[in-house]
Amino acid sequence: MSLIISSPHQHPANSVSRVMLSVVYALIPGCIAHVWFFGPGLLVNMSIAIAAALLTEAWILRLRRRPIKPALYDGSALVTAILFALTLPPLAPWWIPFVGIVFAMIFAKHLYGGLGQNPFNPAMVGYAMLLIAFPQEMTRWSVPQLPELHSLGWLDVLRHSFTGALPTGTGYDALTMATPLDHTKTQIALDQTVQAAHASYKFMGQIAGYGWEWINILFMFGGAWLIVRRIITWHIPAAMLCGLGLFALVAFLSAPATHASPLFHLFSGATMLGAFFIATDPVTAATTTRGRLIYGAGIGVLIYIIRYWGGYPDAVAFSVLLMNMAVPTIDYYTQPRVFGHKG
Amino acid sequence: MMPMKLGQFHGGLRLPGCKADSMLSPVTAAPIPPRLYVPLKQHIGAAAEPVIRIGDHVLKGQLLADSDSHVTAPVHAPTSGTVVEIVEHTVPHPSGMTAPCIVIETDGKDEWRPNLSAHSQYHLLSPNELRQIIRDAGIVGLGGAGFPAFLKLNPGQDKLVETLILNGAECEPYITCDAMLMQERARDILDGLHIMRHAVQARHCIIGIEDHNSAAIAAMQAALSKEEQKHISIIAIPTRYPTGGEKQLIKVLTNKEVPSHKLPIDIGVVCHNVGTAFAVADAVLRGIPLISRYVTITGGAIKTPQNLITQFGTPMAFLLDHCGLQRDKLSRLLMGGPMMGLQISDLQTPVIKTSNCLLALGPGEAGDTHPEMPCIRCGECARVCPAQLLPQQLYWWSRARDFDKVQDYNLFDCIECGCCAWVCPSHIPLVQYYRFAKTEIWQQERDKRKSDHARDRHEFRQLRMERKKREDEERKRKKKELLQRANAGKDETKKSAIDEALARVQAKKAQQQTESRNTDNLTPAQQKQIEAADARRANQTPADTTGDEGSEA
Ligand code: SF4
Ligand code: SF4
């Protein structure tokens, strides 16, 4: 490579760390809602995940004899850890976030060559691995923090995380439950109607599960802010939400008894987090404009298919990973028409 | 102004203009330095060869160097003085290389060469004659590339020129020389435009000026007469970098795209810079060759930013000091703008025909110097690329040295505007990678051509030997015949001799005809080759580009 300093000779103040930090800021409202509705477990998981992610990254970089500081400061490991923690059940033993994120950093990021080289979204790889290996721990979602329920405080959560002990007089039965998506799915499998399933779920909100709808709305706002600030473009989130929404709408209109409403799907589970923060991970998403539309729509449709026909109640992780695989092909076939070339 | 729907190109950037500082005062002539270093090559094509000798006294405007090559431009004395030496001196080039320069010790009299041949009745001249005058005046494209103007004013046979565009867009930050020229010399620019129009026989002319530049637009409008409005329109175009790029400007003004690997003339468009039009007016109407130009001197390290009419060969340091360069503040000196400019490391480098701006960036002005990070595939580069390329794929394959793949991704449609590198959050010097890949590819092609050349030469030699042998035999045979015939009768000998002479004359004529066609008008294919050479911008490997490409085209 030539050492001649080449134009351009000025740069605006843009950097990877600025991009990553903006993503972190945009996540804050949703995270607050998450803690508000489901307790401090998220923060415990997140702290463990962040610490483990940074340590793992530093350790691998040392093994690979790469400069450590710039990589830690770029913020990408931080974002991966936060997104990963957001997918975990709030009440989880410490080794769940630890094992998941270490696996993600090693196998999904650095074995491929580190930042920018990984085809699969590391946070989703970590989550998917845990879901397959430890289904029990991964499907125990906390009950909402409501006055009439026994909810856990800081210390209780920390103690549970590191010792597995729950406060006397409580058990997982009282503290955890299935998520609305999970519940609806099992009830439909038991030949119930969607309406009956929702009626039998204790904590429904206006459009989706209690708490879940707010978390989703706030992630949506955070994502919109990222679009306004031009950190991400609208294509992937819009395409993904349209894909999921339209598919759900058609299904709902054709068989309302067995298909939940599109709004329920859009504001349940990790839909908004996935649309604005996970599917938009630049490294693993399609890069062309048309490609992004296809990629996003593909994820949306896959989410619905897996949620309804597949074995998992939420489906963001698997849909994203599946579409990650298709990215090279999508990018190849959606190259823009170069200036001066025929269409 | 004609109501007209403007076209649009993809991407581009809104950049801070930074232009006001250098537009505060009217343009004055720069002082004459004690010594001028006039490079023999200030253009694309073959270097000119000196026609003066060391020790000669030269007058302002006198021819210093010229060349027989087709793609070249002569060089004239910018002022009067004595030629003291011809030396290797640093010239504006990415590698900071040296090249032969004629050194003139100026005498301060600035005395003109007598008998400048002015042609006020230019419309009585044929396009060919006009091109000759423009060539002899050493005029090259003053917008940046420095391609000999007379070649670009030659559409070639059976090519109709629908639109002649004058580029007054000047889209790079800091640079204001064209804006000032338009404000101050609007009439001359229009005169030059008329001459160019006559040379290419264009139907219609458009002058494109960025809309923030209202003073220039007003000045040009004011100079435009009712009569002229019939075939010249002045159009304000949205300020967006790189709207001054030739293909981008054509797209904006005519909504037509120049096809890849083609030239504007292929869609009936010829495009020149306003500065070039001004130089053409000077050359044709007043007989003044191209020896000076408007140069913007600006940047954070300059106390009094301004535009100066600068004689070629003036050392940059001399000019910068005149404008109050604060050396302790200088972080980087550029020739050109921040987006596409050339870094100059030797302050003694002379100003040449393509030096539109000297940009002395002050502390912090060059932006942050973050280390290069891995590409995170964010796609920002593709969003802003005016050529609609996928810069990050180009980067990827350039880095992997997979030059076939890079070309699959249309590396050669990249105009090196720098938009992609500007927005890249990973601070990857993308353009540097593209230049590297382009240079490598050219090198490979050159190597291939060289071996082809050697093979051709070998075959040619073989052919020549065979022919010689044949001819020898033929001659022997004829001699024998002649001898036999001489015995038969004198008349017949005479007749055959006459026949032979006639045949010789005819053969010669035929040969001349083909020869003249070779050198007279360029075929489009040849012109394309030249333009390809243009694109190469005499950029990377100086030794190779000096003679080689010029003679070839
Ligand atoms: S802007 Fe830079 S980081 Fe983003 S895709 Fe292009 S090259 Fe990669
Ligand atoms: S430098 Fe080339 S690749 Fe980059 S934006 Fe300009 S044209 Fe596109």
Side-chain angles (χ1 to χ4, degrees):
Chain A
M1 200 74 229
S2 69
L3 286 172
I4 297 160
I5 296 180
S6 150
S7 56
H9 301 276
Q10 288 185 319
H11 291 283
N14 194 16
S15 64
V16 176
S17 45
R18 176 180 157 265
V19 172
M20 295 296 173
L21 274 184
S22 305
V23 173
V24 173
Y25 295 149
L27 283 166
I28 290 175
C31 290
I32 292 175
H34 199 288
V35 173
W36 174 268
F37 288 110
F38 296 112
L42 171 70
L43 296 179
V44 175
N45 290 340
M46 210 181 262
S47 310
I48 296 171
I50 292 173
L54 295 180
L55 285 174
T56 314
E57 178 123 313
W59 174 63
I60 302 175
L61 287 168
R62 233 183 81 177
L63 285 185
R64 294 176 60 203
R65 294 179 212 284
R66 294 289 161 87
I68 295 174
K69 231 170 124 184
L72 287 191
Y73 279 90
D74 69 27
S76 62
L78 178 73
V79 168
T80 303
I82 293 176
L83 290 175
F84 166 73
L86 276 167
T87 64
L88 300 178
L91 207 57
W94 66 272
W95 49 266
I96 283 278
F98 182 83
V99 170
I101 197 72
V102 171
F103 180 84
M105 296 309 282
I106 297 178
F107 288 93
K109 185 173 179 184
H110 282 284
L111 279 192
Y112 286 104
L115 177 66
Q117 318 271 333
N118 47 308
F120 296 106
N121 187 314
M124 293 303 100
V125 170
Y127 171 80
M129 183 278 283
L130 291 175
L131 191 61
I132 293 164
F134 311 104
Q136 203 189 1
E137 283 81 357
M138 289 299 286
T139 48
R140 253 186 332 223
W141 200 268
S142 300
V143 293
Q145 306 266 86
L146 287 170
E148 70 266 26
L149 293 172
H150 192 115
S151 48
L152 297 182
W154 267 99
L155 286 177
D156 296 333
V157 172
L158 267 178
R159 190 180 314 116
H160 168 264
S161 174
F162 287 100
T163 67
L166 291 169
T168 39
T170 60
Y172 285 121
D173 285 349
L175 292 171
T176 64
M177 63 188 300
T179 64
L181 276 170
D182 203 356
H183 178 79
T184 311
K185 187 177 172 69
T186 30
Q187 290 301 305
I188 291 174
L190 296 173
D191 278 341
Q192 297 287 316
T193 63
V194 172
Q195 290 68 29
H198 285 181
S200 65
Y201 192 72
K202 274 183 259 162
F203 308 106
M204 280 307 285
Q206 300 300 310
I207 42 179
Y210 173 82
W212 287 102
E213 49 193 21
W214 279 108
I215 294 173
N216 271 285
I217 287 170
L218 288 173
F219 279 139
M220 188 174 76
F221 278 121
W225 179 75
L226 285 184
I227 293 176
V228 171
R229 295 212 47 206
R230 311 191 91 166
I231 301 291
I232 58 174
T233 62
W234 56 268
H235 305 86
I236 293 176
M240 175 178 148
L241 296 177
C242 286
L244 173 61
L246 286 179
F247 220 78
L249 183 69
V250 171
F252 175 67
L253 290 181
S254 57
T258 49
H259 292 272
S261 79
L263 280 182
F264 177 76
H265 278 287
L266 289 176
F267 291 93
S268 287
T271 305
M272 292 298 170
L273 183 71
F276 290 95
F277 295 91
I278 292 170
T280 52
D281 163 37
V283 175
T284 54
T287 57
T288 63
T289 305
R290 273 186 304 149
R292 284 173 171 171
L293 293 174
I294 296 172
Y295 173 80
I299 294 176
V301 170
L302 277 177
I303 289 178
Y304 194 84
I305 291 175
I306 299 177
R307 273 183 188 175
Y308 188 75
W309 287 283
Y312 294 94
D314 206 338
V316 173
F318 290 106
S319 309
V320 168
L321 292 175
L322 282 172
M323 288 309 286
N324 283 166
M325 272 195 280
V327 160
T329 318
I330 296 177
D331 271 353
Y332 185 80
Y333 285 105
T334 55
Q335 293 174 40
R337 183 194 65 91
V338 175
F339 186 97
H341 286 249
K342 292 234 167 60
Chain B
M1 214 187 285
M2 281 203 311
M4 197 163 175
K5 205 183 152 327
L6 292 185
Q8 226 192 13
F9 60 91
H10 175 263
L13 296 173
R14 282 191 155 272
L15 296 174
C18 310
K19 290 182 189 255
D21 289 348
S22 58
M23 297 180 78
L24 296 175
S25 50
V27 181
T28 51
I32 301 169
R35 276 183 173 218
L36 292 173
Y37 294 82
V38 186
L40 292 174
K41 182 168 185 277
Q42 308 180 28
H43 50 264
I44 291 196
E49 288 147 28
V51 298
I52 37 81
R53 261 175 312 185
I54 295 170
D56 280 1
H57 186 262
V58 292
L59 294 173
K60 184 173 185 174
Q62 184 178 330
L63 183 69
L64 292 180
D66 204 346
S67 157
D68 290 337
S69 291
H70 188 57
V71 186
T72 188
V75 176
H76 301 80
T79 185
S80 55
T82 312
V83 176
V84 287
E85 49 181 350
I86 299 174
V87 290
E88 288 279 324
H89 189 81
T90 322
V91 293
H93 189 275
S95 67
M97 67 167 201
T98 62
C101 296
I102 297 177
V103 185
I104 299 177
E105 208 160 76
T106 58
D107 60 11
K109 292 188 207 137
D110 211 22
E111 190 182 336
W112 273 102
R113 178 187 67 144
N115 309 326
L116 298 172
S117 50
H119 300 85
S120 52
Q121 300 291 315
Y122 69 86
H123 43 269
L124 299 180
L125 300 174
S126 74
N128 261 334
E129 286 166 318
L130 276 177
R131 281 191 282 271
Q132 192 60 39
I133 295 171
I134 290 165
R135 184 212 170 274
D136 291 343
I139 299 177
V140 303
L142 295 185
F147 192 68
F150 76 100
L151 289 171
K152 252 179 116 184
L153 284 170
N154 190 350
Q157 277 149 351
D158 53 73
K159 294 248 172 175
L160 284 183
V161 179
E162 178 73 21
T163 314
L164 170 62
I165 290 178
L166 265 202
N167 187 345
E170 201 163 48
C171 55
E172 273 230 44
Y174 291 98
I175 309 178
T176 57
C177 59
D178 288 349
M180 292 306 277
L181 189 73
M182 287 187 282
Q183 283 180 34
E184 300 186 348
R185 310 303 291 266
R187 189 61 251 167
D188 294 304
I189 294 172
L190 288 174
D191 288 344
L193 178 60
H194 283 299
I195 298 169
M196 288 175 155
R197 178 170 181 239
H198 185 53
V200 298
Q201 299 286 309
R203 277 188 40 183
H204 177 72
C205 305
I206 307 178
I207 306 173
I209 308 172
E210 280 196 332
D211 54 10
H212 68 86
N213 208 342
S214 43
I217 297 173
M220 294 298 292
Q221 291 282 13
L224 196 68
S225 72
K226 262 260 148 53
E227 183 57 32
E228 286 174 318
Q229 281 172 18
K230 280 186 202 149
H231 52 262
I232 300 178
S233 23
I234 295 169
I235 295 185
I237 51 177
T239 300
R240 191 157 59 111
Y241 180 82
T243 192
E246 189 171 70
K247 293 186 172 182
Q248 280 64 39
L249 184 67
I250 291 171
K251 168 83 189 186
V252 170
L253 290 177
T254 67
N255 211 4
K256 284 196 261 189
E257 265 180 35
V258 180
S260 173
H261 300 292
K262 292 263 167 116
L263 299 173
I265 185 64
D266 295 320
I267 55 168
V269 176
V270 171
C271 187
H272 280 276
N273 175 266
V274 286
T276 316
F278 175 71
V280 164
D282 254 0
V284 176
L285 301 179
R286 291 177 278 280
I288 298 177
L290 184 62
I291 51 172
S292 64
R293 65 164 297 152
Y294 277 43
V295 180
T296 308
I297 297 106
T298 186
I302 298 286
K303 264 211 205 101
T304 48
Q306 58 191 295
N307 279 274
L308 289 173
I309 301 171
T310 309
Q311 296 179 338
F312 303 136
T314 305
M316 292 181 182
F318 181 82
L319 211 55
L320 294 165
D321 286 337
H322 178 73
C323 300
L325 171 70
Q326 295 156 293
R327 282 176 200 243
D328 50 326
K329 281 199 183 169
L330 181 65
S331 68
R332 204 182 278 185
L333 175 63
L334 305 177
M335 184 181 110
M339 296 305 286
M340 295 183 75
L342 202 67
Q343 185 176 23
I344 303 285
S345 35
D346 181 357
L347 290 191
Q348 293 305 323
T349 309
V351 167
I352 60 169
K353 293 177 181 176
T354 52
S355 314
N356 48 3
C357 177
L358 300 189
L359 178 52
L361 293 172
E365 226 179 341
D368 46 15
T369 43
H370 284 294
E372 180 177 341
M373 301 267 298
C375 166
I376 55 167
R377 292 171 35 97
C378 64
E380 275 299 286
C381 47
R383 192 175 61 78
V384 297
C385 175
Q388 277 154 281
L389 298 165
L390 293 174
Q392 141 254 339
Q393 294 286 344
L394 291 177
Y395 155 70
W396 183 261
W397 298 114
S398 302
R399 220 171 77 127
R401 295 172 149 263
D402 188 334
F403 296 127
D404 289 336
K405 260 292 195 322
V406 192
Q407 291 185 77
D408 284 352
Y409 280 97
N410 301 303
L411 174 68
F412 285 98
D413 285 303
C414 166
I415 57 168
E416 298 182 17
C417 64
C419 289
C420 51
W422 171 273
V423 296
C424 176
S426 289
H427 305 280
I428 303 170
L430 293 163
V431 180
Q432 202 162 307
Y433 282 96
Y434 308 152
R435 294 210 175 116
F436 161 75
K438 286 182 185 174
T439 321
E440 288 292 298
I441 294 168
W442 288 326
Q443 189 56 45
Q444 285 174 4
E445 270 170 16
R446 249 195 303 266
D447 291 349
K448 185 169 168 290
R449 237 176 5 222
K450 254 184 214 149
S451 62
D452 285 355
H453 212 72
R455 201 189 53 225
D456 285 353
R457 247 203 315 254
H458 175 72
E459 280 169 6
F460 184 66
R461 205 177 105 95
Q462 213 87 338
L463 221 72
R464 211 176 42 201
M465 305 269 274
E466 266 171 41
R467 199 173 56 198
K468 194 159 176 291
K469 215 164 110 193
R470 254 201 329 264
E471 279 171 0
D472 282 351
E473 275 166 12
E474 182 84 343
R475 212 172 304 133
K476 267 188 215 148
R477 194 177 54 82
K478 272 203 182 134
K479 225 173 176 177
K480 225 155 102 192
E481 263 179 23
L482 228 60
L483 272 172
Q484 282 171 352
R485 261 186 233 159
N487 297 338
K490 263 185 181 172
D491 278 0
E492 265 198 335
T493 325
K494 216 183 222 165
K495 193 170 168 256
S496 84
I498 291 171
D499 277 352
E500 255 179 66
L502 258 176
R504 261 204 309 275
V505 169
Q506 257 160 14
K508 202 166 174 195
K509 227 188 203 162
Q511 197 191 0
Q512 263 170 357
Q513 261 167 6
T514 51
E515 253 169 26
S516 70
R517 203 175 314 133
N518 275 343
T519 46
D520 195 7
N521 276 331
L522 277 176
T523 66
Q526 279 167 327
Q527 205 170 18
K528 239 163 264 165
Q529 262 182 352
I530 294 167
E531 199 78 333
D534 176 357
R536 272 167 244 186
R537 293 227 306 261
N539 208 346
Q540 312 284 353
T541 38
D544 285 334
T545 43
T546 35
D548 218 332
E549 272 144 22
S551 54
E552 206 181 83

